[in-house]
Amino acid sequence: MKNRINQLFHDKKENILSVYFTAGYPQLDDTVTIIEQLVANGVDLIEIGMPFSDPVADGPVIQQSSLVALKNGMCIARLFEQLKGIREKVNIPLILMGYLNPVLQYGVEAFCQKCAEVGIDGLILPDLPLEEYHDSYREIFARHNLHNILLITPQTSEKRLHEIDEASHGFIYMVSSSSTTGVKSSVADFHLDYFERINQLKLQNPRLIGFGISNKETFDNACQYAQGAIIGSAFVKALGDNGSLDEKISKFVNQLVKGV
Amino acid sequence: MSYQVNRKGYYGEFGGAFIPEMMHPNIEELQEKYMEVINSYNFRQDFIALLKHYVGRPSPLYYARRMSEKYQSHIFLKREDLNHTGSHKINNTIGQILLAKALGKTRIIAETGAGQHGVATATVCALMDMKCIVYMGALDVQRQAPNVKKMRMLGAEVIAAESGNKTLKDATNEAMRDWINNPEDTHYIIGSVVGPHPYPDMVARFQSVISEEIKWQLDEQLGRELPTRVIACVGGGSNAAGAFYHFLDSEAVELIGVEAAGKGIETKETAATLTLGKPGVLHSSRSFVMQTNDGQIIEPYSISAGLDYPGIGPMHANLHATKRAKYLWATDDEVLEAALELTQLEGIIPALESAHALAALKKLSLKPEDVNVISLSGRGDKDMETYLNHFGY
Ligand SMILES: Cc1ncc(COP(=O)(O)O)c(C=O)c1O
């Protein structure tokens, strides 16, 4: 069975732009509009954040958006409701990103089943480590054609890099520096030696660089070392500005791609 | 049945290490090295010497005569309140600071609720000349001002956690974020038997000195090593883990944990995790967690900041599931009453946390021949304001 993530990386080899947003932020029912607007502005891949009360891998911007989203009433069941019919509107890969506990409470099997029904292509669950994934989740994810996207960091050992590469089927999420989201924001902070080192390993999977990508400069720089990059906090922050969603989103993506 | 952790870091179906990849190198290092380090000759020597000469161990096992008369049953108090810094928390911080040294770390981070673990961490950092950063919920910074000042005087930096309800859970989140952002030089001294493997097992081992001493102290005083039951309060569960540890396989010994019910388990203001929670993953381990049907973590409440936590160590989740231990709860009111009773019967002012264990005496059917050991995990100095407000002295 084809997965849209593989299709994307097959068709496009560079400058892939992936954007993260927290579902339910700024308003509960913005989810579909945000997805449509991102697609209209040429984004290649979307990560839909499932808000969690205790997002330990995230910095203040995503924490705050998660809090607001939860207050707005967002939950996994509601998100699936909103995403029903999304595949009649957009065709790019969609990934759900979030923490394990809400997924466990929904029920892993039921969750994956729903993902498949609405047309989700992959999952990023930062607190589901490789070992637990292998032991208890891989088979369920695979049955529903969901790619599990694993992270690597500058501290990941070479042995583990290969294990993660072996276990990955879509792409590898390359964390720019060991940090929570939204911390670093200038090219000077990037560990270029790490980017080079990973490049030279000739991993089987394509890579997207994320964490700290916030503008055209950092995006372009990351794209020199990987197939593309992921923007999270910077976009979530922009969504919090005044103005209509359409305006905010086209302005943000244009600045990022064209620098204007 | 073994009640100890298995090779993968599980107690039955609880535990594990649900960590983001950013924490993997540090956790893997700990998993691979902790047993080797803490079993090494040098470590044992240093640990035992510091517990004896610095902490003041062994802590007394005190036969509480007037309490025993009142309850018509033999009651012993394990006096962790007499330790340096006033609670059992120091047993763990001594162990972890030695481990951090052995691993070549130079920077220590910790979370704290009541400030007892923060003070115990700041203390060992002063002792070992290590940089110390303590995360504390902004609300607790206000509620526990004296401990904040103590930590600062000891040379620690106290950072107020402004996220969530601004209490212990949020301080723990911030400490984990700090560790993610400082992956190379930092050791995180977790304050209870919670967090990813190997923390629950490691902290339980450091606290196990409590039951090790109870055994020989009972033998010395009664000519028997085993009590009828051991009673301890449970926040994350470290003083209980330490008090239960050497009795886990002696099935005749009844093990009683006491959770904080706050204003009552039927209210929203409670922290009785095993009574009200469901299995889930919080702070990197699978255990019981107080949560909504959607899996969002519920903010707990207890009069005692040290028990104000929506999770519980995986060891206790397993002891609960296998029915090896029994978990009761006590409300704020019951706890205040129990604290006053101990104070006036024995001249010992207990910490609010420890008073939860005392409150359980009224909930158990005690026989005259029973030997009850209560873990008196800490002293009440830090809680004087609360006591004075309630009792109006
Ligand atoms: C005196 C005292 N007892 C008990 C606790 C609860 O911790 P644990 O359940 O890990 O023993 C605390 C925590 O701050 C404490 O200060």
Side-chain angles (χ1 to χ4, degrees):
Chain A
M1 199 172 13
K2 262 241 161 64
N3 182 299
R4 292 177 198 87
I5 298 172
N6 302 117
Q7 191 64 49
L8 169 64
F9 284 95
H10 179 267
D11 295 345
K12 190 167 175 178
K13 305 289 183 203
E14 54 183 21
N15 297 325
I16 290 176
L17 172 57
S18 176
V19 173
Y20 166 95
F21 73 97
T22 306
Y25 178 85
Q27 302 294 327
L28 178 61
D29 291 320
D30 286 342
T31 310
V32 173
T33 313
I34 293 174
I35 294 172
E36 285 182 309
Q37 287 300 316
L38 285 171
V39 172
N41 283 281
V43 164
D44 300 302
L45 192 162
I46 297 174
E47 295 168 25
I48 306 165
M50 303 177 283
F52 181 49
S53 53
D54 295 80
V56 289
D58 286 299
V61 172
I62 293 177
Q63 285 172 43
Q64 186 56 28
S65 68
S66 303
L67 212 67
V68 172
L70 291 173
K71 282 211 179 105
N72 288 343
M74 183 47 76
C75 62
I76 291 179
R78 175 147 300 161
L79 179 59
F80 282 134
E81 277 301 306
Q82 294 176 341
L83 292 176
K84 209 183 267 173
I86 194 71
R87 283 304 173 199
E88 287 147 31
K89 296 174 179 152
V90 303
N91 199 34
I92 66 168
L94 297 175
I95 292 175
L96 291 188
M97 179 163 185
Y99 292 81
L100 192 54
N101 196 56
V103 174
L104 292 178
Q105 297 314 313
Y106 194 91
V108 178
E109 181 72 51
F111 176 82
C112 292
Q113 170 98 39
K114 269 286 180 193
C115 284
E117 263 172 51
V118 300
I120 297 297
D121 304 287
L123 301 173
I124 305 177
L125 301 167
D127 58 348
L128 175 60
L130 182 61
E131 295 71 20
E132 295 284 348
Y133 164 65
H134 271 305
D135 287 352
S136 316
Y137 297 81
R138 182 173 51 176
E139 183 272 329
I140 305 177
F141 288 10
R143 198 148 28 77
H144 296 283
N145 194 25
L146 290 166
H147 288 338
N148 183 33
I149 310 302
L150 295 159
L151 276 56
I152 63 173
T153 82
Q155 277 74 34
T156 307
S157 70
E158 186 162 336
K159 174 164 169 282
R160 190 165 173 85
L161 286 169
H162 287 294
E163 286 166 6
I164 288 171
D165 192 33
E166 202 57 47
S168 298
H169 301 290
F171 66 93
I172 291 175
Y173 193 135
M174 188 168 160
V175 177
S176 65
S177 61
S178 191
S179 71
T180 43
T181 54
V183 172
K184 305 271 167 52
S185 57
S186 105
V187 172
D189 297 315
F190 287 163
H191 298 244
L192 295 183
D193 51 333
Y194 155 62
F195 290 0
E196 300 266 13
R197 176 165 59 83
I198 301 300
N199 243 343
Q200 275 156 22
L201 285 179
K202 303 274 173 262
L203 300 177
Q204 308 164 33
N205 286 276
R207 282 162 284 120
L208 297 180
I209 296 179
F211 286 41
I213 314 295
S214 58
N215 52 25
K216 180 164 165 52
E217 191 195 9
T218 43
F219 178 72
D220 288 350
N221 193 275
C223 286
Q224 287 173 30
Y225 297 92
Q227 283 72 17
I230 302 164
I231 319 269
S233 297
F235 179 65
V236 172
K237 205 163 156 204
L239 285 179
D241 292 345
N242 290 328
S244 74
L245 280 179
D246 302 12
E247 285 164 14
K248 285 186 281 195
I249 293 172
S250 73
K251 187 172 146 207
F252 183 87
V253 178
N254 273 312
Q255 271 179 355
L256 197 77
V257 177
K258 304 190 190 115
V260 292
Chain B
M1 190 187 309
S2 167
Y3 299 106
Q4 297 293 351
V5 79
N6 70 16
R7 252 194 38 236
K8 287 191 163 181
Y10 276 85
Y11 297 87
E13 53 178 303
F14 301 102
F18 294 86
I19 47 166
E21 191 61 30
M22 292 78 94
M23 275 164 69
H24 182 84
N26 277 318
I27 293 298
E28 185 181 44
E29 181 183 34
L30 281 177
Q31 288 175 352
E32 285 174 355
K33 297 193 182 150
Y34 85 110
M35 285 305 290
E36 186 189 317
V37 172
I38 70 180
N39 286 328
S40 70
Y41 178 78
N42 283 343
F43 183 96
R44 297 296 316 161
Q45 290 287 311
D46 292 347
F47 185 58
I48 290 166
L50 283 170
L51 287 187
K52 182 169 177 196
H53 302 297
Y54 187 71
V55 175
R57 302 205 72 92
S59 66
L61 182 70
Y62 165 68
Y63 183 69
R65 190 180 53 80
R66 295 189 64 204
M67 285 280 279
S68 300
E69 271 168 21
K70 161 133 200 205
Y71 285 94
Q72 288 295 301
S73 193
H74 302 295
I75 296 170
F76 285 86
L77 303 176
K78 181 58 175 161
R79 300 290 308 274
E80 294 300 304
D81 60 317
L82 293 177
N83 293 340
H84 181 40
T85 71
S87 80
H88 68 292
K89 296 283 180 188
I90 190 106
N91 303 328
N92 170 43
T93 60
I94 293 271
Q96 287 204 48
I97 198 84
L98 291 172
L99 178 80
K101 279 241 151 179
L103 296 179
K105 306 291 181 181
T106 55
R107 182 175 174 274
I108 297 294
I109 55 173
E111 85 295 336
T112 197
Q116 288 305 99
H117 174 60
V119 168
T121 303
T123 298
V124 297
C125 286
L127 180 68
M128 296 289 173
D129 190 22
M130 290 261 221
K131 189 173 162 58
C132 179
I133 290 119
V134 179
Y135 289 90
M136 190 167 185
L139 187 69
D140 291 336
V141 168
Q142 286 175 8
R143 286 199 289 190
Q144 311 283 335
N147 271 342
V148 175
K149 291 185 180 134
K150 264 191 207 169
M151 287 184 266
R152 291 195 171 131
M153 183 166 169
L154 287 159
E157 184 185 348
V158 180
I159 300 182
E162 299 285 353
S163 52
N165 249 28
K166 310 183 201 303
T167 61
L168 181 54
K169 167 175 83 75
D170 314 294
T172 307
N173 291 341
E174 290 305 328
M176 288 190 162
R177 289 181 185 122
D178 179 305
W179 211 15
I180 288 172
N181 284 299
N182 295 282
E184 308 212 292
D185 59 349
T186 300
H187 175 70
Y188 177 16
I189 301 192
I190 295 185
S192 191
V193 286
V194 301
H197 176 64
Y199 278 101
D201 182 52
M202 180 166 73
V203 177
R205 283 171 189 271
F206 293 148
Q207 294 292 0
S208 70
V209 64
I210 299 173
S211 49
E212 192 183 309
E213 288 174 4
I214 292 173
K215 266 186 137 167
W216 64 254
Q217 288 171 320
L218 271 183
D219 191 29
E220 197 176 77
Q221 293 180 45
L222 298 182
R224 58 185 271 190
E225 286 193 334
L226 301 183
T228 312
R229 67 178 64 81
V230 181
I231 308 171
C233 70
V234 185
S238 68
N239 88 89
F244 294 174
Y245 201 88
H246 290 283
F247 301 116
L248 286 171
D249 296 326
S250 304
E251 305 263 352
V253 179
E254 200 183 329
L255 305 175
I256 309 281
V258 188
E259 300 191 298
K263 298 193 174 158
I265 55 166
E266 70 290 349
T267 72
K268 286 189 168 163
E269 290 169 283
T270 176
T273 306
L274 284 178
T275 310
L276 298 172
K278 286 179 291 187
V281 171
L282 173 65
H283 296 145
S284 311
S285 80
R286 184 170 190 280
S287 185
F288 278 74
V289 181
M290 289 175 52
Q291 54 186 311
T292 66
N293 289 335
D294 306 320
Q296 307 298 336
I297 309 306
I298 292 177
E299 300 286 351
Y301 163 82
S302 161
I303 192 170
S304 78
L307 304 183
D308 202 349
Y309 184 69
I312 185 167
M315 175 198 213
H316 293 290
N318 185 49
L319 293 176
H320 173 67
T322 57
K323 299 196 161 61
R324 172 64 189 97
K326 200 159 137 192
Y327 294 85
L328 310 175
W329 46 263
T331 63
D332 290 355
D333 289 343
E334 292 169 332
V335 164
L336 287 164
E337 189 187 324
L340 188 60
E341 180 180 88
L342 183 74
T343 304
Q344 302 197 334
L345 283 179
E346 299 288 348
I348 299 169
I349 302 179
L352 277 165
E353 290 79 11
S354 320
H356 284 74
L358 297 163
L361 287 172
K362 290 205 166 70
K363 300 167 185 256
L364 294 162
S365 48
L366 308 174
K367 296 202 197 71
E369 66 275 20
D370 287 356
V371 173
N372 305 281
V373 175
I374 298 180
S375 172
L376 200 68
S377 57
R379 68 175 86 127
D381 304 23
K382 69 184 176 60
D383 299 312
M384 284 317 295
E385 203 179 309
T386 310
Y387 288 145
L388 298 185
N389 282 339
H390 276 273
F391 302 132
Y393 291 108

